[in-house]
Amino acid sequence: MLEIKDLHATVGDKEILRGITLSVEPGSVHAVMGPNGSGKSTLAQVLAGHPAYQVTGGTVTYDGEDLLAMDPEVRAQKGIFLAFQYPVEIPGVSNAYFLRAAYNEIRKAHGDEEMDPMSFADLMDEKMKLVEMDDSMLTRSVNMGFSGGEKKRNEILQMAVLEPRLAILDETDSGLDIDALRIVANGVNTLKRPTNAVIVVTHYQRLLNYIVPDFVHVLAGGRIVRSGGKELALELEARGYDWLLEGAVA
Amino acid sequence: MSSSIESLVNREYQYGFVTDIEADTIPPGLTEDVVRLISAKKGEPVWLLDWRLKAYRRWLTMKEPHWPNVSYQPIDYQSQSYYSAPKSVTPLQSLDEVDPELLRTYEKLGIPLNEQKFLSGVAVDAIFDSVSVGTTMKKELGELGIVFCSLGEAVREHPELVRKYLGSVVPYSDNFFAALNSAVFSEGSFVYIPKGVRCPMELSTYFRINAEGTGQFERTLIVADEGSYVSYLEGCTAPKRSTSQLHAAVVELIALKDATIKYSTVQNWYAGDKDGKGGIYNFVTKRGKCAGANSKISWTQVETGSAITWKYPSVILQGDNSTGEFYSVAVVNNRQQADTGTKMIHIGRNTKSNIVSKGISAGHGQNSYRGQVKVLPKAVNARNYTQCDSMLVGNACGAHTFPYIEVGNNTATVEHEASTSKIGEDQIFYLKQRGLSAEQAVSMIVSGFCKEVFKELPMEFALEAQQLLGITLEGSVG
């Protein structure tokens, strides 16, 4: 469903991605790992279409379409979801209002009718249980005054409501205690479908104990320097990244 | 800021059309004879003509104020007309006689005057250039003793009330524009709510400037007698024209003992084009007096239009335990300038005032909050809370705050909080990543910012205000 070929991207004058090639099929879970500054988060942001990143080479197709030609909201409407590393606060806009607007926008893009507030409230009840959040989170402004863990859970709540085809989790595990980590992973696992795929961007192997990847890719210097199965993550945990980096930095 | 915030906001002003209707417009220029002519056209009594003439003579001695934080080409007061009326409107007996062209104009503005079609629960007085086109729901209101009509009609039907209260809050000598208005005011609305009556519907005046080269000088007078309540809405639009037009209105509110007046404005005058050409100069004096004990006056304004806005809806807190409120959203985009805020004058004991101001600046817009809180020596236990927030969209706009606080009684509590924030690329990207367009994202962020003010507006107005914000800011983000 997602084909990344020789992807290059810069932020400002700095080239961060230097030729990424990656293929993601429905039903699979890919982990993208790597040391700080390797380009993991950049890859996530570029796939979502953040305007601060310029794609300078390569192609990305999503269900056969040119992903890079799409506006971020079109990507979202077509089922791409980014769980942000640093979720943004929107003062004065309630979480429920925001979520319903997003949900309906995606429905409209698929030619479906908007869901009325009552039915949406029922849907929320169900999804809130998944991430073990209580109702007060719905009336609070988006991410305002949320703890780090609450913000990450809120991202997974949004993912649960929007039911993306391709979910990209950008260091969702950073700053989470073990309970929050379990909740987040449980949410992600419950949402797994044969038709959906997940890309988990993470620095540590820890999250991969809960969300088991089919493939692990190690990013260094803006390139994938090693791909393997889930055992690669364990090897990285044991040996660190250094042994892979030799020769990776051009 | 990247292209994503610069390219969102430029939808056309949708009320910029002109109604082609034959008008009775007096020649440009302002002299004592013009004042007499206006008064004669309206068939006014001598006392009112005398009042106008005193105002005119005082105006001649006054200078246009230049302390607001705005700049504009000098206004030539002799080059514009001070009276313009659609010919077909006078004399007007009922709405059935209104020129269909005018009715269509109001339909287009979303204000159907045809009563059957009208939203139940709102009575409307429609003012087109210098005259009132018609007032709806009069009969229903009349049964409760409520007077809601054009000011001209009130002068004829209720001269004692008009004479008693006209100029009692904003005297003709108050300021340059108020003096000008007092001399040449042509129309406006009048409301009187009798003792103990709670007005069962929203009262609304809809102002429309149509004629070219004319100013609009309306005057609104609202009197809430003891123990009464009224909620009043004011809306305004004007055609797109390349020359600027002056709008110098006066609004006076009087709340007697235990009375409450809630006054809401959604101001959407034409703002000029993106280079600042044309647009309305909105130089308005709005003031309310809490004359009796336990009275309350609440101003809510959403200012999205006008090339220049210069207004300070204020409350004189004379009665003991009286309350004044000011909730404001002011948006400037392109070359718009706004210098707006409020004055809360605490005179009585235990008086309270609450100020919430939200300023949004986009494009090259300049937005100033100017507020005065004055506690006089006898105002024991006066309390004021002021919250003044600014939001910037893009890098070329400005936000300014000028609070003036004078406290003459040491039992007073005065609080002032201010903040400035910026709509971030990251906020917009976050919302877009969830499927919302850039317009929806900005509109959502701005609505959230203005929430405390919007919740003060009556429901239909709140929706309109929210949409207007979206339109005004279009093109400021992309």
Side-chain angles (χ1 to χ4, degrees):
Chain A
M1 65 198 287
L2 184 75
E3 291 290 340
I4 304 172
K5 282 194 184 133
D6 197 27
L7 182 65
H8 290 252
T10 59
V11 58
D13 298 332
K14 201 170 170 217
E15 186 171 48
I16 312 275
L17 300 185
R18 300 195 293 171
I20 303 262
T21 297
L22 177 65
S23 174
V24 176
E25 296 304 322
S28 64
V29 176
H30 290 249
V32 174
M33 303 184 69
N36 290 328
S38 59
K40 302 185 301 286
S41 283
T42 298
L43 177 62
Q45 298 280 346
V46 166
L47 292 177
H50 195 292
Y53 299 88
Q54 262 70 50
V55 173
T56 50
T59 58
V60 181
T61 55
Y62 173 68
D63 285 341
E65 291 185 272
D66 179 4
L67 183 76
L68 300 175
M70 297 175 199
D71 283 334
E73 62 270 34
V74 176
R75 300 181 197 197
Q77 288 157 7
K78 288 183 184 287
I80 291 182
F81 178 93
L82 173 64
F84 284 68
Q85 184 177 3
Y86 303 108
V88 177
E89 298 181 349
I90 318 276
V93 177
S94 79
N95 220 10
Y97 178 81
F98 158 63
L99 261 173
R100 192 162 72 87
Y103 183 76
N104 279 330
E105 219 40 53
I106 289 172
R107 280 178 73 100
K108 274 195 280 180
H110 293 179
D112 296 329
E113 296 223 341
E114 289 190 24
M115 185 181 266
D116 64 86
M118 297 303 285
S119 313
F120 187 74
D122 292 343
L123 176 75
M124 290 301 291
D125 274 352
E126 176 200 327
K127 303 293 185 181
M128 299 280 285
K129 287 195 192 98
L130 191 65
V131 287
E132 301 178 28
M133 281 166 82
D134 69 77
D135 286 353
S136 71
M137 300 284 275
L138 287 178
T139 50
R140 284 162 70 183
S141 293
V142 180
N143 294 323
M144 285 291 290
F146 284 28
S147 69
E150 283 174 331
K151 283 183 182 174
K152 296 297 175 72
R153 268 194 278 169
N154 199 27
E155 293 294 291
I156 303 306
L157 172 69
Q158 293 173 40
M159 178 180 158
V161 171
L162 302 178
E163 296 193 344
R165 286 247 298 136
L166 175 63
I168 304 161
L169 310 184
D170 187 6
E171 306 217 11
T172 299
D173 52 334
S174 64
L176 288 190
D177 61 32
I178 203 78
D179 289 328
L181 195 67
R182 181 185 50 74
I183 291 168
V184 162
N186 181 44
V188 173
N189 288 331
T190 311
L191 295 165
K192 258 168 69 176
R193 307 274 182 278
T195 50
N196 298 345
V198 183
I199 297 176
V200 182
V201 173
T202 181
H203 189 77
Y204 301 104
Q205 191 272 337
R206 192 176 65 150
L207 178 65
L208 304 179
N209 290 333
Y210 299 90
I211 304 173
V212 180
D214 301 302
F215 303 96
V216 175
H217 311 278
V218 180
L219 220 60
R223 295 194 185 98
I224 292 176
V225 293
R226 178 72 64 103
S227 292
K230 64 182 176 199
E231 64 287 346
L232 178 58
L234 295 169
E235 194 174 356
L236 289 169
E237 182 77 355
R239 297 177 63 185
Y241 287 110
D242 286 348
W243 62 284
L244 284 170
L245 298 187
E246 286 153 36
V249 183
Chain B
M1 191 144 294
S2 87
S3 61
S4 127
I5 297 205
E6 303 292 308
S7 67
L8 176 98
V9 192
N10 282 328
R11 204 182 326 175
E12 286 282 288
Y13 181 68
Q14 75 184 106
Y15 305 112
F17 61 88
V18 177
T19 305
D20 187 11
I21 196 158
E22 212 184 335
D24 171 16
T25 304
I26 65 173
L30 182 53
T31 61
E32 200 162 301
D33 285 343
V34 167
V35 176
R36 287 177 193 279
L37 182 61
I38 292 169
S39 185
K41 275 188 183 288
K42 305 190 76 67
E44 287 175 354
V46 175
W47 66 264
L48 190 49
L49 173 62
D50 286 346
W51 192 75
R52 286 179 181 274
L53 289 172
K54 276 193 279 187
Y56 174 69
R57 288 170 197 143
R58 174 59 80 95
W59 178 72
L60 288 176
T61 69
M62 297 170 100
K63 282 208 162 57
E64 191 185 300
H66 288 288
W67 49 262
N69 186 27
V70 298
S71 63
Y72 53 92
Q73 293 294 310
I75 299 169
D76 180 357
Y77 292 93
Q78 296 305 334
S79 73
Q80 55 191 320
S81 169
Y82 288 84
Y83 184 86
S84 178
K87 272 193 175 155
S88 54
V89 171
T90 46
L92 183 91
Q93 299 304 324
S94 87
L95 278 174
D96 301 337
E97 294 173 28
V98 175
D99 187 316
E101 188 61 34
L102 279 176
L103 289 182
R104 272 195 293 278
T105 297
Y106 283 89
E107 293 271 354
K108 252 167 118 173
L109 295 169
I111 315 285
L113 295 177
N114 183 328
E115 303 221 359
Q116 289 89 331
K117 283 190 197 166
F118 202 71
L119 278 167
S120 56
V122 185
V124 179
D125 184 23
I127 298 196
F128 191 85
D129 288 336
S130 301
V131 295
S132 171
V133 170
T135 309
T136 66
M137 305 277 184
K138 270 176 122 159
K139 189 163 151 283
E140 294 83 344
L141 294 169
E143 283 164 9
L144 292 165
I146 293 170
V147 181
F148 177 41
C149 62
S150 69
L151 189 56
E153 190 179 332
V155 169
R156 289 190 297 277
E157 306 291 325
H158 306 278
E160 70 298 335
L161 283 172
V162 177
R163 200 168 177 176
K164 182 171 177 188
Y165 291 108
L166 188 75
S168 69
V169 184
V170 181
Y172 64 77
S173 56
D174 190 80
N175 67 70
F176 181 85
F177 293 110
L180 177 62
N181 174 286
S182 303
V184 303
F185 76 88
S186 35
E187 202 43 283
S189 295
F190 176 77
V191 175
Y192 173 75
I193 314 290
K195 270 187 196 172
V197 172
R198 186 181 171 90
C199 185
M201 60 185 87
E202 310 278 351
L203 302 184
S204 167
T205 298
Y206 197 87
F207 294 104
R208 172 75 176 170
I209 296 179
N210 187 61
E212 188 158 17
T214 61
Q216 182 153 349
F217 304 93
E218 84 275 357
R219 209 171 166 105
T220 300
L221 178 57
I222 300 176
V223 181
D225 213 327
E226 292 182 9
S228 67
Y229 169 90
V230 63
S231 170
Y232 182 92
L233 320 172
E234 174 201 297
C236 18
T237 58
K240 285 165 78 160
R241 303 216 187 259
S242 58
T243 52
S244 297
Q245 284 177 287
L246 178 62
H247 173 251
V250 170
V251 176
E252 295 179 278
L253 312 181
I254 296 112
L256 301 180
K257 187 167 168 284
D258 299 319
T260 296
I261 301 175
K262 201 169 156 49
Y263 191 106
S264 311
T265 305
V266 173
Q267 187 262 107
N268 184 25
W269 295 118
Y270 177 52
D273 69 11
K274 65 179 171 42
D275 301 317
K277 203 158 185 260
I280 301 292
Y281 291 172
N282 192 35
F283 298 159
V284 171
T285 306
K286 289 183 167 178
R287 196 175 301 153
K289 190 197 268 182
C290 285
N294 309 313
S295 56
K296 179 174 173 182
I297 289 178
S298 181
W299 297 100
T300 304
Q301 62 171 19
V302 177
E303 303 285 312
T304 66
S306 294
I308 301 175
T309 298
W310 182 89
K311 65 182 258 201
Y312 314 91
S314 304
V315 185
I316 299 169
L317 296 154
Q318 192 178 60
D320 290 346
N321 311 313
S322 60
T323 304
E325 294 176 336
F326 175 73
Y327 300 98
S328 170
V329 168
V331 191
V332 291
N333 191 12
N334 297 320
R335 300 277 169 183
Q336 282 176 274
Q337 307 171 64
D339 191 311
T340 184
T342 185
K343 287 190 278 187
M344 293 289 175
I345 313 296
H346 293 255
I347 299 172
R349 302 163 69 90
N350 305 316
T351 46
K352 276 191 305 205
S353 63
N354 193 24
I355 299 170
V356 178
S357 164
K358 303 279 181 176
I360 299 150
S361 314
H364 290 83
Q366 293 294 327
N367 210 335
S368 300
Y369 167 79
R370 189 182 302 273
Q372 183 183 35
V373 175
K374 193 169 181 173
V375 178
L376 295 181
K378 287 186 179 158
V380 178
N381 291 328
R383 299 177 77 88
N384 161 265
Y385 173 72
T386 300
Q387 182 191 336
C388 183
D389 299 321
S390 304
M391 177 175 268
L392 303 172
V393 185
N395 291 324
C397 54
H400 317 270
T401 306
F402 305 98
Y404 304 87
I405 298 170
E406 282 175 59
V407 178
N409 183 306
N410 61 13
T411 61
T413 311
V414 177
E415 287 177 76
H416 181 97
E417 285 182 27
S419 75
T420 302
S421 57
K422 203 163 174 181
I423 290 198
E425 194 72 38
D426 284 341
Q427 281 177 315
I428 291 173
F429 179 64
Y430 187 71
L431 297 179
K432 285 172 92 169
Q433 213 301 305
R434 298 302 185 247
L436 303 174
S437 67
E439 282 89 348
Q440 289 170 314
V442 171
S443 168
M444 187 177 276
I445 294 164
V446 170
S447 297
F449 175 70
C450 300
K451 193 181 202 171
E452 289 154 283
V453 175
F454 284 170
K455 72 177 169 48
E456 297 296 326
L457 287 171
M459 184 64 91
E460 311 85 57
F461 250 39
L463 290 174
E464 187 187 336
Q466 212 152 334
Q467 283 164 1
L468 259 182
L469 279 192
I471 292 167
T472 306
L473 286 172
E474 235 175 75
S476 72
V477 182

